[in-house]
């Protein structure tokens, strides 16, 4: 289900400088990677898409659904799951309790939430920690718990902000495998600074800088921006660096 941002302007505070200014971008169904330097507006864009905040001007739509009004907002949030860059936890709960609680917050009945817990926690490789308190988990385990929470209510769109931060190489590979498993059933937008493996996981690349859209296209088109003499293993890195240094396409 496509996510649309229509002439969106957003700034923190009434007189704050806009982080996004009249941004128009549509994310197609499938897997999209969202790139950009620190302060580019990536996290703000995902927060708007999650309805965690509202644009100062413009509109956000998921298909035909807008998060305006209590009923529409509830329907919208049931279809969208958001993993912020710094998720918060209730450390006194067990992992399974925390996941069920998030499912309930998303509108699931208590029974539905509990039934969904085993599959969500298994998908992120955290089954052996299901009955452990959240406060005892390592940073990487907490990140996997956050991903499980994002999956529990079978959302149609996942918005993941730096989801691999704190994961070791094996855990990161497990996350990439999970993205492969989700292909065809859930659309995913992942904000990251890690541009390795883009061609193996994502369908589209979107680059924002200073709150404006700089690039949108397939991974192959993105890679074509690399320097002609760039080694094969460095082409994605070269394309990204060249795009940001060029000032314009």
């Amino acid at each position: 289900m496509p996510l649309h941002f229509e002439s969106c302007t957003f700034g923190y505070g009434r007189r704050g400088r806009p982080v996004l200014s009249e941004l128009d971008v549509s994310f197609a169904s499938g897997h999209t990677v969202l790139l950009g330097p620190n302060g580019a507006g990536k996290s703000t864009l995902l927060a708007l898409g999650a309805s965690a905040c509202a644009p100062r001007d413009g509109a956000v739509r998921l298909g035909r659904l807008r998060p305006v009004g209590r009923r529409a907002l509830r329907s919208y949030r049931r279809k969208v799951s958001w993993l912020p860059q710094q998720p918060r936890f209730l450390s006194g709960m067990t992992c399974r309790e925390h996941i069920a609680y998030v499912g309930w917050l998303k509108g699931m009945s208590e029974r539905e939430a509990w039934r969904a817990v085993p599959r969500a926690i298994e998908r992120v490789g955290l089954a052996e920690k299901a009955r452990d308190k959240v406060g005892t988990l390592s940073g990487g385990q907490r990140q996997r718990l956050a991903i499980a929470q994002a999956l529990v209510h079978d959302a149609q769109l996942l918005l993941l902000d730096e989801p691999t931060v704190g994961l070791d190489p094996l855990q990161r590979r497990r996350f990439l495998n999970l993205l492969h498993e989700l292909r065809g059933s859930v659309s995913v937008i992942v904000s990251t600074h890690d541009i390795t493996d883009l061609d193996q996981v994502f369908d589209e690349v979107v680059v924002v800088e200073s709150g404006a859209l700089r690039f949108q296209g397939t991974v192959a088109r993105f890679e074509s921006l690399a320097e002609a003499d760039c080694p094969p293993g460095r082409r994605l890195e070269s394309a990204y660096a060249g795009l940001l240094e060029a000032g314009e396409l």
Side-chain angles (χ1 to χ4, degrees), residues 89-210:
F89 302 95
L90 299 172
S91 59
M93 285 186 172
T94 65
C95 293
R96 61 194 297 270
E97 288 170 343
H98 213 294
I99 294 171
Y101 175 64
V102 171
W104 176 76
L105 290 177
K106 281 290 187 176
M108 302 176 78
S109 70
E110 184 177 351
R111 178 176 293 183
E112 287 175 331
W114 278 111
R115 284 179 176 175
V117 167
R119 181 169 180 263
I121 204 167
E122 181 67 34
R123 293 174 87 175
V124 299
L126 210 58
E128 74 282 359
K129 296 290 184 179
R131 298 183 183 275
D132 290 5
K133 294 292 182 70
V134 175
T136 67
L137 301 181
S138 68
Q141 289 167 344
R142 288 191 177 205
Q143 194 71 355
R144 283 190 280 162
L145 174 63
I147 295 170
Q149 292 173 177
L151 293 170
V152 68
H153 67 287
D154 290 327
Q156 296 179 16
L157 173 65
L158 298 184
L159 305 175
L160 308 178
D161 195 356
E162 296 287 352
T164 58
V165 171
L167 301 186
D168 62 34
L170 179 60
Q171 293 166 348
R172 184 177 183 279
R173 174 51 54 184
R174 181 178 287 142
F175 170 74
L176 295 177
N177 290 339
L178 176 60
L179 291 186
H180 280 294
E181 293 174 14
L182 295 174
R183 186 175 296 279
S185 60
V186 181
S187 293
V188 182
I189 301 174
V190 177
S191 167
T192 184
H193 287 287
D194 191 344
I195 61 173
T196 59
D197 303 320
L198 295 190
D199 55 338
Q200 300 178 33
V201 179
F202 297 101
D203 306 304
E204 186 175 57
V205 179
V206 171
V207 181
V208 294
E209 184 182 20
S210 301

Side-chain angles (χ1 to χ4, degrees), residues 204-227:
E204 186 175 57
V205 179
V206 171
V207 181
V208 294
E209 184 182 20
S210 301
L213 181 66
R214 290 292 311 282
F215 174 88
Q216 183 172 19
T218 64
V219 176
R221 182 178 167 225
F222 179 73
E223 187 176 355
S224 72
L225 300 176
E227 295 179 353

